[in-house]
Amino acid sequence: MEVVPPLNAWEADVVLLHGQWQPGALAVAASLRRHGIRVVADLDEDIFTAPAAHPSAAIYRDTALQARCRELLGAVDAVFVPTEHLAARLGPFSSAISVIPNGIDLEAWRKLAKPKPRDRVRVVGFAGTASHTASLEILRPALAKLSKKFREQEIRLVFFGFRPSWLSGVVPGAEAVEACSAETYPIRLAMLGFDIALAPLSNSVFDKSRSALKVWEYSAAGAVTVASNLEPYASAIQNGSTALLPDNQSESWVQAILKLIRNHDLRRQLLESAQRSVEAHDVSRTAPAMLAALEATEPNRGRTLFSFPRTQTRACPDVDVVIPIYNSPELTRRAIEAALPELDARHRLVLVDDASPDPAVSSMLEEYTGRPWITVCRNAQNSGFVGTCNRAVQELARPEADVILMNSDTRPMPGFVRRLAATAGSNPAIGTVTGVSNQGWIASVPDLSDAKDLAALEHPLVLSPTACGFLLYIKREVIRKFGLFDPAFSPGYCEEVDLSLRISPEYASVIDPGCWTWHANSVSFGDTKFKLSADHNAVIDKRYPHFRFQLSAFNDRHPLRDHGMRMLRATRDARPRVLHVLQTLGSAHGTGKHVQDLGASLSDRYLSLTAAPNEAFDPAREQLELYCGEVPVGAWPYSQPGWPQTAAQLPANDHAWSSLLDAAKPTLIHLHHVKNHTLSLLARLAAIGVPVIVSIHDYYFLCPDFALQQCPGLHSCDTCFPVRFKGPAEYQRLRRALFNASLKQASAVVAPSQTAANIVREVYPDLNILVIPHGVRAMPRLIREHRSKIRFGMLGNVNAVKGIEVILKAWPLVAPADGAELHIYGAASDPLYVRRCAELGIHYHGAYGESNLPRILSQIDIGVLPSQAPETFSYALSEFFAGGVPVIGSDYGALSERIENGVNGFRIARDDVRSWASVLSRLITDGALRERISEGVMPPESICDMASQYADLYGDVIGNAQRRSEGSVPVSLPPLAPLGTEQAALP
């Protein structure tokens, strides 16, 4: 057994649920069981009778929670409880209850010095939570009688974990110690030094269900226990041999405690006996019972994760293919033409034009009107994707036919109708089948030129948390029972998620890797797709709070990754392969954004692959991952180096890189960062015979402080490095020597600005650095409303490096104060910044997405970028310029290169607070100046401009490499070369 992160539950054979009564828990349990995983509910208390003082009483007493609990207990494979009494209490809800006595992990206690009885009693104590409030009332009168005795004999009374409201009034000077974590509980309890430990227990139904764990913990901590003579304590304690068991009369408790205070020999005998008896309750003794109970659930160890079996075959049923149409006539025509070969008397096509304003759609559909097996219809008014699908399926399709919903921007492979129908019929539990696609959300596979041919590669059906709507087969029996799409999701987005989750108690949604389609992705929704997605996801979250957890678990496992790897190895796609190497994956800003833009823009000429560590929180799950486009295709164990970073070889990483390079077979490697890798990575990649291009995104090649925020000078390392990084300056000299030699081995080095190139050349003067500015997406024409106040705006991360502290000091000095507003967009690194913004009347909006930029920029008159470190480029500046917004920026780094004073903005000394306030104030009052710098803003480099320059560079580098190697780059990559003498010298 092991404790794993919740997202990895789908990798387990048996999952134990502890306290999982929240909405969605039943659905998670059902999902786990559908995946062949046994589910056990583990309870250690009777939540149906929790007393009012219980810490979770408000939760446990909720009738909806109790209903969910009863339902879950009846749905899981087994229920584990620690006592017979609790088993009897829960018997009406489950017939699969096993009593697994609680055990104590004595290993944690054995690490402590073995406690011995002291010559006299110094501490009497209790350990527990507020759930013991009723039981502690038993002690109240007894402790009142003992208070004087405690004071006379200097005995401390300590309550650990809970302070009853009456404690100080009954025993003046009594102490209360706050609760702690389970990990530190043994040492904290032992350090309190209880000589006598109290375990009162009321005769309530709730308390009868408890276990005797508290008694064993007291014994392990060196305390003699006085406990109520009730179950479970009565059978766990030998009265007078291992502890004392008074009845619940106050005088009985007084006499039992006094007896132990007065009789040292008795305390010693009881403690020694108790400590011997507690060995029988060690988890090593109780674990076999649990393991046997787990085995009794008959775990399915032979299953393939996230796979779903084919159990039967059936004759191909009647199927109607429905294509909802809105504009995009050429894409629609290709979709229709792809469906035509599938049609016959049993397989028909329904075309519904959702009142497209483009007249070419009507003309195009006229060509198909009247053809056999095709129904053509036009909505009188626009109904949206959801409304159009519902009408087509319920009114136009044959009532007995299964349905394939096919987006008008797709082109499925030949034979897709019969393939999907066969898959749907292969298991009666299947409700929907989704094909795979180049743009398929969780059903995405690599976008390869021969992808439809590679669909023949064998791969089991994938059990998915949801269907995907671009090519979706739905059984007619599902539609009869559950309907189709909920109008709440009109005009579209998330409607298939809602359907999948509605039907999930009875039907599974699967992905068939053997059915492929090309997909343009969201042509119909255009610019509204981002808002639709956000709004409708909020509805999903409310209705199905478990869905994000299930989706995250699916994405964490990447069930289609192996299929993607087989496609990559088998493809005959002739495009040269560019392997982008990053420091991490998943970033939508900076380096990650640049690579995404570059790969997408050059996809017609180059096959883009990406490699990066996954930065897992658990070191045991760190991996080097390989993506084809944005689709995961491979992962290998990877050890990220610690500090100081070393050039020494890490065997696990050598294997990861050898395996990755063998799978990727790159024509060109584009290295964007070596952070999170060993420092020698560049040198070692350059040694395998594949040309390497290096991009300078920050200054990591110069200093571990890659932003150079606190750099006193590029050649001040002898004094700076030992203080800043607590290491010898020699390390920094060797680090730079390694990078200097490595960079010289690159086929090209690229920087996004001349400033960045110049800074790098201050350290490596012999480097030839090519400047290619990053490109940004063209911005739609923005319409700005006239406002009485000037709006300044900041974009980007809100932290000290980006200058938030400077602007927080400058803004109170701006005048007139009522003439302007400051709006800040971006994730804040410290809540203090958010509070300061509120105090100063600054509007903080939080993180934003790229889709929000047109709206944001339309509401900003002047951009503000007070960067405190030398930017290598600044996407935020380009985004301001793309929206026609002039910028006030720091006269530092790339900002000083790109902002022209009085033309498209102003440059200000980065840390001169008064100058910042002065320029902001001047722009508030000088409308002509604002108009002049606004007119001076020119569009920045576009993504297409950037891609064109990189395409030329890639072509030149690959051509030169091929000529050097007499016409071909090796397809079979050699092992990574060992480090040279110079590199090996780095510690």
Side-chain angles (χ1 to χ4, degrees):
M1 293 179 64
E2 64 176 311
V3 178
V4 299
L7 292 184
N8 304 126
W10 275 259
E11 299 177 15
D13 299 313
V14 182
V15 171
L16 275 72
L17 301 178
H18 301 272
Q20 300 297 308
W21 316 120
Q22 67 273 25
L26 184 66
V28 171
S31 174
L32 291 167
R33 297 187 74 226
R34 177 165 280 160
H35 282 77
I37 300 165
R38 304 299 182 248
V39 180
V40 176
D42 186 44
L43 287 82
D44 61 1
E45 58 186 2
D46 183 356
I47 70 170
F48 297 102
T49 59
H54 192 286
S56 300
I59 299 173
Y60 286 172
R61 291 184 165 196
D62 178 66
T63 55
L65 179 138
Q66 293 193 357
R68 289 195 300 269
C69 178
R70 287 191 290 268
E71 192 174 2
L72 183 64
L73 292 175
V76 296
D77 296 284
V79 178
F80 290 176
V81 297
T83 66
E84 293 289 350
H85 184 274
L86 186 54
R89 287 281 306 152
L90 301 181
F93 312 131
S94 172
S95 60
I97 299 179
S98 296
V99 177
I100 312 296
N102 278 345
I104 178 172
D105 184 4
L106 289 177
E107 187 62 31
W109 300 86
R110 292 185 184 113
K111 296 176 182 177
L112 309 175
K114 189 171 182 178
K116 297 180 180 180
R118 293 184 284 216
D119 57 349
R120 72 175 187 85
V121 173
R122 290 180 171 83
V123 183
V124 175
F126 165 82
T129 67
S131 66
H132 293 270
T133 298
S135 297
L136 288 172
E137 286 295 326
I138 298 165
L139 288 182
R140 187 173 180 176
L143 291 176
K145 295 176 182 180
L146 290 167
S147 177
K148 181 179 179 182
K149 187 73 171 178
F150 288 171
R151 186 169 63 253
E152 290 173 350
Q153 298 199 7
E154 298 182 341
I155 296 173
R156 296 164 54 215
L157 178 64
V158 178
F159 274 58
F160 178 26
F162 171 62
R163 173 194 284 273
S165 59
W166 47 262
L167 182 61
S168 298
V170 170
V171 183
E175 303 170 34
V177 178
E178 289 186 359
C180 65
S181 67
E183 291 76 18
T184 61
Y185 180 76
I187 189 170
R188 291 287 303 279
L189 182 59
M191 288 175 63
L192 289 173
F194 288 2
D195 296 294
I196 300 172
L198 311 177
L201 196 68
S202 77
N203 200 27
S204 69
V205 174
F206 179 82
D207 280 339
K208 286 180 180 178
S209 298
R210 293 184 186 272
S211 76
L213 181 60
K214 184 185 298 295
V215 173
W216 306 324
E217 291 172 341
Y218 283 163
S219 299
V224 177
T225 301
V226 181
S228 292
N229 191 12
L230 295 171
E231 292 299 337
Y233 298 149
S235 58
I237 291 173
Q238 299 176 42
N239 191 20
S241 177
T242 58
L244 298 183
L245 288 172
D247 59 36
N248 277 346
Q249 301 301 313
S250 63
E251 188 57 30
S252 298
W253 275 87
V254 169
Q255 293 306 316
I257 295 170
L258 286 175
K259 187 176 184 179
L260 292 176
I261 291 174
R262 294 165 180 161
N263 194 333
H264 167 73
D265 290 338
L266 176 61
R267 282 192 294 109
R268 179 182 55 77
Q269 292 169 9
L270 292 177
L271 179 59
E272 289 174 354
S273 296
Q275 289 180 332
R276 286 194 299 271
S277 69
V278 79
E279 293 289 337
H281 303 287
D282 183 36
V283 289
S284 63
R285 306 281 185 90
T286 59
M290 173 170 281
L291 293 175
L294 292 173
E295 286 294 341
T297 65
E298 300 181 351
N300 179 12
R301 292 185 173 89
R303 75 189 188 286
T304 301
L305 300 184
F306 289 96
S307 67
F308 201 74
R310 298 177 186 268
T311 60
Q312 65 182 32
T313 57
R314 70 167 183 177
C316 190
D318 291 349
V319 180
D320 284 354
V321 179
V322 173
I323 304 181
I325 299 164
Y326 185 77
N327 287 339
S328 305
E330 288 308 313
L331 278 174
T332 301
R333 180 188 296 278
R334 293 172 191 168
I336 295 171
E337 292 296 323
L340 291 182
E342 310 295 313
L343 306 184
D344 56 29
R346 303 199 65 184
H347 305 129
R348 302 187 180 185
L349 180 62
V350 178
L351 305 175
V352 185
D353 176 17
D354 190 20
S356 298
D358 187 341
V361 172
S362 296
S363 301
M364 180 265 298
L365 289 179
E366 284 295 327
E367 302 174 25
Y368 300 101
T369 302
R371 290 197 190 186
W373 310 312
I374 297 178
T375 298
V376 179
C377 186
R378 177 180 172 86
N379 290 341
Q381 59 186 20
N382 183 265
S383 301
F385 181 82
V386 167
T388 300
C389 287
N390 284 344
R391 181 193 178 200
V393 170
Q394 294 164 355
E395 299 178 17
L396 304 175
R398 292 168 292 173
E400 75 284 359
D402 288 356
V403 172
I404 295 176
L405 298 179
M406 175 178 159
N407 279 13
S408 61
D409 57 354
T410 60
R411 291 201 298 276
M413 59 180 258
F416 74 93
V417 172
R418 287 164 180 80
R419 172 72 193 204
L420 291 174
T423 296
S426 68
N427 191 315
I430 293 176
T432 73
V433 185
T434 299
V436 293
S437 172
N438 61 306
Q439 294 273 3
W441 186 28
I442 60 174
S444 294
V445 295
D447 189 4
L448 303 170
S449 62
D450 54 351
K452 68 174 181 290
D453 302 322
L454 299 172
L457 295 170
E458 286 299 320
H459 192 282
L461 298 179
V462 174
L463 184 54
S464 173
T466 177
C468 303
F470 57 90
L471 185 67
L472 176 59
Y473 189 107
I474 309 172
K475 286 180 177 175
R476 178 57 69 168
E477 64 185 80
V478 170
I479 298 170
R480 289 195 193 100
K481 288 184 180 180
F482 295 94
L484 191 59
F485 295 146
D486 186 337
F489 294 92
S490 294
Y493 262 102
C494 297
E495 69 283 343
E496 77 277 33
V497 176
D498 175 73
L499 174 64
S500 302
L501 295 171
R502 273 191 284 122
I503 72 174
S504 62
E506 293 186 43
Y507 294 98
S509 295
V510 301
I511 297 171
D512 183 1
C515 185
W516 177 88
T517 183
W518 177 86
H519 183 207
N521 196 15
S522 300
V523 168
S524 295
F525 293 123
D527 294 334
T528 65
K529 64 180 182 178
F530 299 106
K531 187 176 187 309
L532 285 174
S533 177
D535 291 347
H536 292 175
N537 268 298
V539 178
I540 293 293
D541 289 342
K542 184 175 181 180
R543 290 186 180 182
Y544 313 103
H546 61 283
F547 174 66
R548 284 191 184 273
F549 173 72
Q550 289 182 258
L551 182 63
S552 296
F554 183 90
N555 289 333
D556 185 70
R557 181 65 190 179
H558 299 308
L560 284 169
R561 182 164 56 195
D562 291 345
H563 181 63
M565 175 59 76
R566 284 196 291 273
M567 291 179 67
L568 183 64
R569 290 187 182 277
T571 185
R572 298 191 178 189
D573 193 315
R575 288 175 293 174
R577 299 182 180 189
V578 178
L579 176 64
H580 298 275
V581 179
L582 285 77
Q583 77 275 30
T584 187
L585 290 165
S587 173
H589 304 283
T591 307
K593 170 180 167 57
H594 169 71
V595 171
Q596 289 174 6
D597 291 342
L598 193 55
S601 299
L602 296 178
S603 60
D604 59 332
R605 298 176 60 177
Y606 296 95
L607 180 60
S608 177
L609 302 163
T610 304
N614 63 352
E615 289 197 300
F617 292 109
D618 178 4
R621 301 186 69 84
E622 287 182 349
Q623 293 180 315
L624 179 65
E625 295 186 327
L626 176 65
Y627 278 63
C628 183
E630 296 184 22
V631 178
V633 294
W636 298 268
Y638 201 66
S639 299
Q640 295 184 35
W643 176 257
Q645 281 199 313
T646 173
Q649 297 186 49
L650 298 176
N653 290 0
D654 282 356
H655 174 73
W657 276 110
S658 296
S659 300
L660 184 146
L661 292 168
D662 179 64
K665 290 183 168 52
T667 316
L668 170 71
I669 295 174
H670 191 160
L671 179 68
H672 296 268
H673 223 296
V674 294
K675 185 175 182 287
N676 297 334
H677 303 284
T678 52
L679 299 179
S680 59
L681 179 63
L682 171 54
R684 302 176 76 174
L685 291 178
I688 67 173
V690 176
V692 178
I693 293 173
V694 177
S695 277
I696 306 293
H697 292 282
D698 55 33
Y699 301 107
Y700 190 75
F701 285 113
L702 309 186
C703 178
D705 175 12
F706 52 84
L708 298 182
Q709 181 191 8
Q710 300 179 37
C711 178
L714 292 175
H715 300 288
S716 302
C717 301
D718 285 351
T719 55
C720 173
F721 199 88
V723 175
R724 178 87 191 281
F725 300 103
K726 312 303 180 187
E730 177 66 13
Y731 180 92
Q732 172 69 337
R733 286 194 291 272
L734 289 170
R735 185 180 188 274
R736 285 187 173 181
L738 172 59
F739 281 145
N740 187 33
S742 303
L743 289 166
K744 288 179 180 177
Q745 295 178 55
S747 299
V749 179
V750 183
S753 67
Q754 190 61 55
T755 299
N758 293 342
I759 290 175
V760 172
R761 273 197 290 258
E762 282 191 50
V763 176
Y764 308 124
D766 298 332
L767 273 187
N768 180 26
I769 302 178
L770 178 66
V771 175
I772 302 179
H774 295 331
V776 294
R777 286 175 177 78
M779 201 73 62
R781 184 174 178 272
L782 304 180
I783 300 175
R784 289 186 173 81
E785 298 178 3
H786 177 74
R787 290 178 289 267
S788 59
K789 293 185 177 182
I790 305 304
R791 283 195 174 189
F792 295 98
M794 287 179 63
L795 296 177
N797 291 326
V798 181
N799 55 39
V801 175
K802 298 299 183 181
I804 182 62
E805 294 176 4
V806 169
I807 212 66
L808 289 175
K809 294 174 183 176
W811 189 248
L813 306 178
V814 172
D818 59 352
E821 297 174 348
L822 176 58
H823 293 256
I824 297 179
Y825 301 85
S829 63
D830 188 334
L832 177 62
Y833 296 142
V834 180
R835 290 198 296 271
R836 286 292 293 142
C837 285
E839 292 166 1
L840 297 174
I842 297 171
H843 303 269
Y844 174 71
H845 299 273
Y848 63 94
E850 190 174 9
S851 61
N852 304 127
L853 277 173
R855 175 184 57 81
I856 292 171
L857 293 172
S858 69
Q859 297 171 1
I860 295 176
D861 299 305
I862 300 171
V864 179
L865 294 175
S867 296
Q868 298 301 293
E871 301 272 8
T872 57
F873 179 69
S874 180
Y875 266 113
L877 179 61
S878 290
E879 288 162 351
F880 276 129
F881 284 170
V885 179
V887 175
I888 313 168
S890 296
D891 193 6
Y892 197 36
L895 296 181
S896 63
E897 172 187 336
R898 302 179 61 200
I899 298 174
E900 298 181 65
N901 263 334
V903 177
N904 57 7
F906 285 94
R907 301 192 303 269
I908 305 172
R910 62 187 173 111
D911 54 357
D912 188 340
V913 172
R914 293 199 173 275
S915 292
W916 277 96
S918 175
V919 173
L920 290 167
S921 300
R922 181 183 173 193
L923 286 168
I924 294 173
T925 58
D926 194 334
L929 181 57
R930 292 198 306 272
E931 184 175 352
R932 187 172 79 235
I933 60 175
S934 296
E935 292 174 351
V937 175
M938 293 291 105
E941 295 270 344
S942 70
I943 292 176
C944 290
D945 297 332
M946 172 190 71
S948 176
Q949 295 181 71
Y950 271 105
D952 292 341
L953 177 61
Y954 286 176
D956 290 344
V957 169
I958 292 172
N960 291 336
Q962 289 176 338
R963 284 189 288 275
R964 285 196 301 271
S965 61
E966 298 181 346
S968 65
V969 173
V971 179
S972 179
L973 295 168
L976 289 174
L979 291 173
T981 305
E982 178 185 20
Q983 295 137 6
L986 188 62

